[in-house]
Amino acid sequence: MRAIEIQEPGRPPVPVERDAPEAVRGETLIKVTAAPVTPLDLLCASGTSYFGRPRTPYVPGVQGVGTVEGEPVWFATSAGMAPGDGSMAEVARVPEGSLVRLPSGVDPVAIAALGLSAIAAHQALTWRGELVAGEQVLVLGAGGVVGQAAVQLARLAGARRVVAGARSAAARERAELAGADAVVTLDTEDVAELAARFAAVADGPIDLVLDPLFGVPAAAAARTLRPGGRLVNLGSSASETCPIDSATLRGKSLRLLGYTNNELTPEQRAASLTLISEQVLLGNLSVTHESLPLREAEEAWRRQREGTATGRIVLIP
C-alpha cells in the first residue's frame, strides 16, 4: 500500500510502499479517504515534544476519515505519541474504540479538515466554557481552524454576538466568512490598546473568551470580561506566558480555565463529532481547507511548518 513515513525525527515524511496492516483482535482496518496535516502531527514528528522521541519509522497522522465495510468513519490514532502508525496511508489499523460513525453522504475532506480542532472548539465552548444561549463570546485566533470552527459553533450554541480577533488580513477575512459579528486586528503588544479595541466592538461586557493564543491577546481579552466571566485557554500560539494583571482577576472574580482534548471521554468526543458532521451536512459548518494527493505530503508538511498554508491541508491516499 502507499503510505508516508517519518524515518527520522525532525525530517519531513517520505513516500513509501508498505505491506498493508493485518486485522488483530480489538482493532479495525480502515480504508483511509482523508488525512489532515495538523500542527500536532509536526510536533510529534519533531522528536522534541512532551511525548518524547517517537519510534521510527512510523506512519504519521493523528486522525483521519475512512470507511469500514463501506460505512464512513472518523478515527483518531496515537501516531508519534506512542509506538504505532497513523492515518497517512491507504489503510490504517486502529482500536475499535477510536472510531466515530459518520452519517452517510458527509464530505470526508470537510470532516477531516475540522476533526480534532472542531472537537476542541466545541468542548471548550460548551463543556469547559459552559456557554449559555444569549451570551456574548470573544474568539481569539479566529482565522485558524479552531477559531473558525469556534465562531460558527458559538453561534449554533445560541451566542447572541461573536467578536473575533485575528492578526493578518487573510485571517481576518476567514473570521468574517465564518460569521463573526466584528473582527479586531491583533497587531499590537499594548494590552490596554487591544482591550479598548475589543470593548469598542462588543455589545457590553464579554461573557466567555475562547483563547488558543495566550500572551497579550488573552490579557487584553480578560479585561473585557464581565464579573464572573470565563476565559478558556486551549493553546499558546502567541506566547507561553501571559501578562494578566492580578487586579483584573481579583476585581471581577474571573475564571481562567485550561482545556485539552486529552481529557475528553470517548463519549464526549463522539458526541462532538456527531454534532459537527450533522452541521456539515446542513451546510452550517466549514473551515478553509484544501486537498493534496498523498505523494505531495512533503510539500504539505513544509507549508504547515512555515505557516504558508491557506487553510487545513488534507491528504488523499
Side-chain angles (χ1 to χ4, degrees):
M1 69 172 184
R2 290 186 298 271
I4 63 169
E5 279 185 347
I6 298 296
Q7 297 181 341
E8 181 182 348
R11 304 283 296 176
V14 297
V16 295
E17 287 288 333
R18 278 185 159 214
D19 292 335
E22 296 181 358
V24 298
R25 186 185 181 94
E27 295 191 319
T28 301
L29 294 182
I30 299 171
K31 183 179 179 181
V32 181
T33 52
V37 179
T38 71
L40 180 56
D41 293 309
L42 271 67
L43 176 65
C44 292
S46 71
T48 61
S49 78
Y50 47 85
F51 299 111
R53 186 180 177 89
R55 183 184 299 174
T56 54
Y58 77 94
V59 174
V62 298
Q63 59 182 312
V65 176
T67 59
V68 175
E69 297 179 349
E71 297 297 319
V73 297
W74 175 91
F75 63 97
T77 85
S78 58
M81 296 173 273
D85 294 321
S87 62
M88 297 181 188
E90 290 185 285
V91 179
R93 185 177 67 199
V94 301
E96 293 173 356
S98 72
L99 301 180
V100 178
R101 303 285 173 175
L102 297 174
S104 178
V106 73
D107 180 358
V109 176
I111 295 296
L114 286 156
L116 289 168
S117 295
I119 291 172
H122 179 245
Q123 290 288 344
L125 286 167
T126 58
W127 171 53
R128 289 296 279 161
E130 300 177 355
L131 175 60
V132 175
E135 289 190 318
Q136 183 172 211
V137 177
L138 169 56
V139 177
L140 300 176
V145 176
V146 171
Q148 291 175 66
V151 169
Q152 296 165 82
L153 289 165
R155 182 79 67 205
L156 290 167
R160 65 178 171 84
R161 185 170 178 83
V162 181
V163 176
R167 181 174 291 275
S168 70
R172 296 194 299 274
E173 182 179 0
R174 291 193 292 270
E176 290 175 355
L177 289 172
D181 293 293
V183 182
V184 171
T185 305
L186 306 180
D187 63 352
T188 177
E189 292 297 303
D190 186 321
V191 174
E193 163 63 20
L194 192 52
R197 293 182 190 178
F198 290 142
V201 298
D203 180 21
I206 299 291
D207 298 289
L208 172 64
V209 174
L210 189 88
D211 167 39
L213 303 181
F214 216 42
V216 167
R223 293 190 182 187
T224 71
L225 283 166
R226 64 165 172 79
R230 298 93 69 202
L231 185 151
V232 181
N233 174 259
L234 62 163
S236 54
S237 296
S239 176
E240 284 290 336
T241 60
C242 178
I244 295 179
D245 56 279
S246 176
T248 296
L249 286 177
R250 292 180 293 109
K252 295 184 178 180
S253 296
L254 299 182
R255 287 193 286 156
L256 302 186
L257 305 164
Y259 175 85
T260 172
N261 276 344
N262 293 335
E263 290 296 317
L264 298 180
T265 65
E267 291 77 18
Q268 285 175 305
R269 189 168 65 184
S272 283
L273 229 297
T274 299
L275 179 144
I276 288 162
S277 60
E278 290 171 349
Q279 294 303 322
V280 168
L281 273 175
L282 291 171
N284 295 330
L285 181 61
S286 65
V287 293
T288 304
H289 63 274
E290 61 178 298
S291 58
L292 291 175
L294 188 64
R295 65 177 178 275
E296 295 183 25
E298 184 174 357
E299 172 69 7
W301 211 261
R302 179 189 65 78
R303 290 172 58 199
Q304 175 66 49
R305 184 182 65 245
E306 296 175 354
T308 57
T310 56
R312 177 72 80 228
I313 301 176
V314 180
L315 299 176
I316 309 300

